[in-house]
Amino acid sequence: MPDHHNPLLLLTTGLFAGALLAIAIQRLKPKPRKEDIRSGIEECIGNTPLIRIKSLSNATGCEILGKAEFLEPGGSIKDRVALNIIKTAEGQGLLRPYSGDVVYEGTVGSTGVSLAMLCRARGYLAHICMPNDQSLEKSSLLLKLGAALTTTSPAPIVSPTHFVNLARTLSTTHPTLPSSTPSSHGYFANQFETPYNFAAHYTTTGPEIFSQCGGRLSAFVSGAGTGGTLSGVAAYLKSQDPKIKIVLADPQGSGLYNKIKHGVLFSPTEKEGTRRRSQVDTIVEGIGLNRLTHNFSLGRPLISDAIRVSDEEALAMARFLVEKDGLFLGSSSAVNCFAAVKLAMELGPGHRIVTILCDSGTRHLSKFWKGMEVGASWDMEIGDVLGASKIRRFSDGARHNREQVPAGLKNEEFAA
């Protein structure tokens, strides 16, 4: 019979119980967590979610995924390009932080916003050249980000007054801005032709998509403005799996569709006898061109097909995504998603298709989204989207919105 009054036994038992209690308490203590702190807004760029678009996936039997680039800190996929251009220039000694150096770029869209944001973050000034008839949202945002803004009348790309050419000229003459220093440099970002655009997507967007898909995807679909996204992502994906299909999504009036389909850069609006002052009659901004850029040419051999999307189809898709998924997207994203659905129908159920959700609809309120209502008494179905060109309400809406597009502009004026 054990002696419960034995001092040694009591001491041993107490020590053992105390040790067990200490172990239990230690296990209950929260483990030190790994810190996840970003050094500045630059380190917030990239690694955006890949979203399963439920309505489109359910309607087609394919898994349609959208890379949510509208969640970038600057609001669009152009953050990646702007950051890579700036960092590469810094590495080459062409830009020096807090020295008064100025980054010049010709743009009517998201690239200017991304550059303006990052220039402020990294100690530079941004000088943006754009046509004088663009939406108030874009010019206001650029000014609020502290960018210098020069506007110019719409002109063809061969003209010295075209906004891209004007930016190039200003970068070489580098007029002194109020906050510049006499020794400051001017740097032309040159998003359409610089290989750093392509490289941004080859090294970040493409690898992210492939990893997020676990290496399993059937096709990648995207529009092309500068061509950097489509070419860079395509090159990376093809290097990992040559069977992945690369498809161009192209708005009406752009010549890239015919370049892929028939080998000739040609738009129906350029037919003999139908040539008009406005060669690209579309409300879609950010994608589509009637000229070849270096960035597009880099990926041209990898593109196996092209899908043309009308204004009515883009408008219908944009509304459908709001009503069914709560996704409020811009015009180029709507084109991408429509093309993804068309490709899903061609491939048949069971495939995985990835596209880009380039930016949100907040920068497209005064043009693309103007006059379009969501909800009301019409419960849309996917058939309404696919047959949108024949539906009166979208035809009227597209014509109404297209009136906002000034005559004389080619689609490159709306790209990037």
Side-chain angles (χ1 to χ4, degrees), residues 83-164:
L83 181 60
N84 197 47
I85 288 174
I86 289 175
K87 290 177 72 174
T88 303
E90 288 174 342
Q92 297 172 344
L94 299 175
L95 284 175
R96 304 157 302 161
Y98 304 102
S99 64
D101 287 355
V102 181
V103 177
Y104 293 86
E105 181 61 308
T107 172
V108 300
S110 298
T111 306
V113 173
S114 297
L115 282 171
M117 174 190 75
L118 287 168
C119 281
R120 284 291 162 183
R122 296 182 75 86
Y124 306 107
L125 300 172
H127 192 134
I128 305 302
C129 299
M130 63 187 297
N132 59 12
D133 45 21
Q134 297 307 297
S135 69
L136 180 61
E137 301 101 306
K138 294 175 183 177
S139 58
S140 296
L141 185 53
L142 286 167
L143 292 172
K144 295 300 183 185
L145 285 167
L149 183 61
T150 297
T151 59
T152 181
S153 298
I157 189 64
V158 295
S159 170
T161 62
H162 183 279
F163 61 92
V164 172

Side-chain angles (χ1 to χ4, degrees), residues 82 137 166 383 393:
E137 301 101 306
L166 179 59
R393 70 186 73 196

Side-chain angles (χ1 to χ4, degrees), residues 93-289:
L94 299 175
L95 284 175
R96 304 157 302 161
Y98 304 102
S99 64
D101 287 355
V102 181
V103 177
Y104 293 86
E105 181 61 308
T107 172
V108 300
S110 298
T111 306
V113 173
S114 297
L115 282 171
M117 174 190 75
L118 287 168
C119 281
R120 284 291 162 183
R122 296 182 75 86
Y124 306 107
L125 300 172
H127 192 134
I128 305 302
C129 299
M130 63 187 297
N132 59 12
D133 45 21
Q134 297 307 297
S135 69
L136 180 61
E137 301 101 306
K138 294 175 183 177
S139 58
S140 296
L141 185 53
L142 286 167
L143 292 172
K144 295 300 183 185
L145 285 167
L149 183 61
T150 297
T151 59
T152 181
S153 298
I157 189 64
V158 295
S159 170
T161 62
H162 183 279
F163 61 92
V164 172
N165 298 331
L166 179 59
R168 181 186 292 107
T169 300
L170 289 175
S171 71
T172 57
T173 57
H174 187 45
T176 302
L177 297 177
S179 52
S180 298
T181 61
S183 61
S184 63
H185 296 166
Y187 180 78
F188 178 45
N190 198 18
Q191 60 167 328
F192 286 91
E193 307 300 331
T194 178
Y196 311 137
N197 183 342
F198 169 95
H201 299 294
Y202 184 83
T203 58
T204 68
T205 321
E208 287 174 27
I209 289 172
F210 195 75
S211 176
Q212 288 169 319
C213 288
R216 188 178 66 83
L217 66 155
S218 307
F220 175 70
V221 184
S222 177
T226 64
T229 301
L230 180 61
S231 294
V233 172
Y236 181 83
L237 294 179
K238 282 286 195 180
S239 74
Q240 301 301 305
D241 182 357
K243 297 189 297 297
I244 295 174
K245 187 179 180 73
I246 307 298
V247 178
L248 167 73
D250 211 33
Q252 65 181 52
S254 171
L256 298 179
Y257 171 87
N258 280 324
K259 182 63 177 178
I260 299 301
K261 292 293 240 182
H262 310 297
V264 179
L265 190 66
F266 173 78
S267 168
T269 57
E270 296 177 307
K271 289 182 185 176
E272 188 68 31
T274 65
R275 188 173 180 87
R276 297 169 298 178
R277 187 181 174 199
S278 178
Q279 288 302 297
V280 178
D281 188 17
T282 182
I283 59 170
V284 173
E285 298 181 17
I287 57 174
L289 280 175

Side-chain angles (χ1 to χ4, degrees), residues 278-350:
S278 178
Q279 288 302 297
V280 178
D281 188 17
T282 182
I283 59 170
V284 173
E285 298 181 17
I287 57 174
L289 280 175
N290 279 331
R291 61 187 175 92
L292 289 180
T293 66
H294 176 64
N295 280 287
F296 183 83
S297 298
L298 289 173
R300 165 66 187 90
L302 305 175
I303 305 170
S304 59
D305 201 2
I307 296 172
R308 177 175 284 155
V309 181
S310 70
D311 284 354
E312 292 82 5
E313 290 164 341
L315 286 162
M317 177 57 75
R319 173 175 171 163
F320 184 81
L321 290 171
V322 169
E323 293 196 355
K324 304 302 180 184
D325 299 275
L327 286 170
F328 183 53
L329 302 173
S331 55
S332 57
S333 301
V335 168
N336 286 347
C337 288
F338 186 92
V341 169
K342 291 284 285 185
L343 179 60
M345 296 176 65
E346 293 175 11
L347 295 178

